[in-house]
Amino acid sequence: MAFSHFICAHLLISSFWAVNEIWTGGGNSGMRFHVALTATDAIYSQWQSRIMYYWYKKVKDMPRSDMGKFTRILHSGKADNLMDEIPSFVVDPLPEGLDRGYIVLNRPWAFVQWLEKATIEEEYILMAEPDHIFVKPLPNLAQGNHPAGFPFFYIKPAEHEKIIRKFYPEEMGPVTNVDPIGNSPVIIKKYLLEEISPTWLNVSLRMKDDHETDKQFGWVLEMYAYAVASALHGVRHILRKDFMLQPPWDPEVGKRFILHYTYGCDYNLKGELTYGKIGEWRFDKRSFLNGPPPKNLSLPPPGVPESVVRLVKMVNEATANIPGWDTITRG
């Protein structure tokens, strides 16, 4: 389907009533969701995807899991050397120059293509990212037509009403209809994502084209775009704080399901956080932009929160058991 079709896509408005509360029940038995993450063929993306897939396989069939099949949606436009290791589906990147160096803009375009072309058996989809680790089996947290999403403390639509109104007009309702989420992690019915994705793409591109919006939202622009697109379709998300933890700010794993290692973890040898300053001990995924982390990383010093210790142990287990960990190269 022509790319221009999505730029001009009509905004289909759903009539689902709003749900914006924390639901504390268990998973929905028998309601499998497809695990889908968008990725590139860069080494940085590859090693994270390999760890993520390792832990998916480990917890998928455990009790209370509603996890179905897995797809790495590869938006580099060509196959890479992980096709035999990780179930993958190749889609095209945005036309050259359209992302203006903001590679995350390829995410909604990747989902549009995948949903249109792939055969997806499950009724629900989990949108995930390479730097997610499943710390326990994940049940379906969605409730029927109401997706489940993680509330991010830095996504604040109400504080940016002037900007949000450029894309979510007053006649659509209050700005509080825009949930404080990104697209990931979200568990959502497939047909809803099929409706939302073209709008998500359009809003992302429009936001990137608007200088004020681009400057204000920066690296979370595409997250705001998903939140706005969902609201334009009348879709509200059940906010699940237990969906995910983010060390070092969340000190304990507790009852949460996904560990997101997006932040650097820097500590001195006394176990004190030195965020913003490289620590005597550190784990930061950005330290491994050009190659995978080595096996058997050193554990944090005493006093470091349990979540950080758990992260390093899970990375170490994956790297010790993934064949050819040290030899993988971009292909």
Side-chain angles (χ1 to χ4, degrees):
M1 189 176 294
F3 179 77
S4 59
H5 170 80
F6 298 108
I7 302 299
C8 301
H10 179 63
L11 300 181
L12 301 175
I13 308 302
S14 300
S15 60
F16 304 123
W17 52 277
V19 174
N20 198 31
E21 60 190 24
I22 297 176
W23 176 73
T24 56
N28 297 314
S29 177
M31 297 178 64
R32 295 280 179 180
F33 55 83
H34 196 105
V35 178
L37 72 149
T38 53
T40 74
D41 63 356
I43 292 175
Y44 179 64
S45 181
Q46 286 186 328
W47 69 255
Q48 293 175 52
S49 297
R50 298 179 86 194
I51 292 174
M52 197 264 201
Y53 185 56
Y54 171 86
W55 284 102
Y56 156 82
K57 290 189 295 182
K58 185 151 186 175
V59 306
K60 173 183 179 292
D61 296 322
M62 289 182 177
R64 292 188 59 78
S65 169
D66 287 324
M67 303 167 76
K69 294 182 178 180
F70 185 104
T71 299
R72 179 183 61 139
I73 308 171
L74 185 62
H75 55 75
S76 302
K78 61 184 183 302
D80 67 358
N81 54 351
L82 294 181
M83 304 298 289
D84 293 334
E85 178 180 334
I86 304 175
S88 302
F89 191 93
V90 178
V91 297
D92 293 327
L94 287 168
E96 185 175 0
L98 198 57
D99 65 9
R100 270 87 92 213
Y102 181 52
I103 197 169
V104 185
L105 281 185
N106 286 283
R107 184 175 292 154
W109 177 222
F111 272 107
V112 167
Q113 295 173 81
W114 178 63
L115 290 163
E116 182 183 74
K117 299 175 182 178
T119 300
I120 306 161
E121 297 175 0
E122 296 87 351
E123 186 178 359
Y124 290 83
I125 291 169
L126 164 67
M127 291 186 283
E129 297 179 21
D131 60 354
H132 286 175
I133 293 178
F134 294 104
V135 295
K136 61 183 65 177
L138 179 62
N140 190 335
L141 303 177
Q143 287 286 284
N145 290 326
H146 306 296
F150 176 78
F152 288 91
F153 71 90
Y154 51 79
I155 301 296
K156 301 176 179 179
E159 292 186 9
H160 301 288
E161 181 165 3
K162 177 185 174 184
I163 292 177
I164 294 294
R165 284 305 186 193
K166 294 182 179 184
F167 312 95
Y168 186 74
E170 290 189 14
E171 58 265 27
M172 295 300 302
V175 170
T176 51
N177 286 346
V178 180
D179 292 325
I181 59 169
N183 82 289
S184 176
V186 163
I187 299 176
I188 186 171
K189 272 197 170 180
K190 179 173 62 177
Y191 88 90
L192 285 176
L193 189 56
E194 288 172 341
E195 292 183 357
I196 292 170
S197 290
T199 309
W200 174 23
L201 171 62
N202 294 333
V203 174
S204 296
L205 293 172
R206 288 174 55 208
M207 284 185 171
K208 191 64 179 175
D209 280 338
D210 184 87
H211 178 72
E212 181 186 20
T213 305
D214 187 25
K215 182 179 179 180
Q216 181 64 52
F217 288 165
W219 64 275
V220 297
L221 180 149
E222 168 268 340
M223 297 173 69
Y224 272 103
Y226 174 80
V228 168
S230 299
L232 287 169
H233 285 268
V235 175
R236 301 296 301 276
H237 294 69
I238 302 165
L239 302 183
R240 293 292 301 242
K241 292 182 180 179
D242 61 343
F243 211 151
M244 190 167 73
L245 72 145
Q246 302 184 99
W249 309 118
D250 297 309
E252 297 179 355
V253 174
K255 297 182 178 180
R256 296 169 188 173
F257 298 101
I258 292 173
L259 190 157
H260 183 209
Y261 56 98
T262 190
Y263 296 105
C265 300
D266 288 277
Y267 292 86
N268 62 28
L269 296 183
K270 297 179 182 180
E272 298 167 335
L273 183 66
T274 62
Y275 196 78
K277 176 183 177 182
I278 294 177
E280 296 172 280
W281 180 94
R282 76 178 329 222
F283 178 83
D284 188 335
K285 66 178 185 177
R286 295 161 193 84
S287 299
F288 309 104
L289 292 172
N290 300 314
K295 295 181 180 180
N296 197 28
L297 294 168
S298 64
L299 293 178
V304 170
E306 178 253 351
S307 63
V308 179
V309 177
R310 182 76 172 274
L311 165 60
V312 178
K313 287 183 175 179
M314 295 186 83
V315 169
N316 281 345
E317 178 178 332
T319 61
N321 289 282
I322 296 174
W325 178 257
D326 296 322
T327 60
I328 194 71
T329 56
R330 182 174 180 172

